[in-house]
Amino acid sequence: LRRSPGEVCFPGGKSEATDKDDVDTALREAKEEVGLQPEKVEVICRLMPGIDKMNNLVTPVVGFIEDTFQVTPNPDDVSEVFAVPLEYFLKPLNYKTFSYKTSSGYLTRIHCFIYDDQEHKRSFKIWGLTAHFAVFLALVIFGERPTFEVDYDLDNLISSSENNFINLYTSIYERKKSNL
């Protein structure tokens, strides 16, 4: 893609006028990008949104698919597809973190995972918002403490994720307001 070429991400993209909601957008994008038929997805939930580096609101949609799903990547959007066990985002073999100050001045932690994929015989760098969503989902699913620090109160995961999002959103809104 023109924006963020070569980066690892989940299927997704901007909503279109024909999309009913975030779930519809996610299912349409997954079909377009990797050939996942919407009827083959059991949608479970939406996670707390995030804000990407262009200040777009990104709402992750989580669902189950059969492990027999055969991916057919759209070559205009996707160069390759790989799978990572969700547990890796709690107990990684190769991990680092760095602090990042957003354009609005909000200080956050950026997770960066290097995943060695034996099937493809190469390594993939998973970081930023993609890593953020993967870590949060792993925390929710497994309820275990990761081997690294996170910006959540793990005893109050959902409310602390809401507070983190509200603080980030507020910092962006305040910066936009001050630029008017």
Side-chain angles (χ1 to χ4, degrees):
L1 296 175
R2 290 180 306 280
R3 194 171 53 110
S4 304
E7 291 189 11
V8 171
C9 64
F10 294 112
K14 291 187 178 196
S15 64
E16 294 181 358
T18 56
D19 296 338
K20 294 180 290 196
D21 56 19
D22 296 332
V23 172
D24 212 32
T25 299
L27 294 174
R28 178 185 50 75
E29 287 285 343
K31 180 180 178 183
E32 290 174 7
E33 293 180 7
V34 296
L36 180 59
Q37 298 301 314
E39 64 274 7
K40 298 289 187 181
V41 180
E42 180 185 350
V43 175
I44 302 303
C45 68
R46 291 176 232 190
L47 296 179
M48 183 60 55
I51 299 175
D52 70 10
K53 58 189 169 192
M54 303 300 291
N55 289 337
N56 295 307
L57 188 67
V58 179
T59 303
V61 175
V62 180
F64 289 122
I65 60 172
E66 293 292 327
D67 61 357
T68 56
F69 166 65
Q70 294 294 310
V71 67
T72 52
N74 177 341
D76 293 335
D77 292 336
V78 179
S79 60
E80 61 188 307
V81 176
F82 63 99
V84 180
L86 190 57
E87 297 91 344
Y88 191 80
F89 296 102
L90 293 180
K91 299 172 184 166
L93 298 176
N94 192 341
Y95 169 84
K96 61 184 172 181
T97 187
F98 52 95
S99 294
Y100 175 75
K101 188 178 272 193
T102 67
S103 60
S104 62
Y106 183 79
L107 188 63
T108 187
R109 183 186 320 261
I110 301 290
H111 302 286
C112 181
F113 300 85
I114 305 298
Y115 179 70
D116 294 318
D117 186 332
Q118 301 305 316
E119 181 182 340
H120 291 88
K121 298 198 180 351
R122 64 172 286 212
S123 296
F124 293 97
K125 180 180 178 182
I126 306 162
W127 67 288
L129 200 53
T130 301
H132 167 81
F133 289 144
V135 167
F136 186 75
L137 182 61
L139 290 169
V140 169
I141 297 289
F142 296 112
E144 295 177 17
R145 296 193 178 276
T147 58
F148 50 89
E149 293 294 317
V150 292
D151 293 330
Y152 299 113
D153 173 354
L154 296 176
D155 295 322
N156 298 293
L157 185 58
I158 302 302
S159 63
S160 71
S161 73
E162 290 170 345
N163 289 335
N164 288 354
F165 173 75
I166 289 168
N167 291 337
L168 174 58
Y169 185 84
T170 301
S171 74
I172 291 168
Y173 177 79
E174 291 299 323
R175 182 161 193 264
K176 284 182 180 181
K177 198 166 82 174
S178 70
N179 288 337
L180 295 179

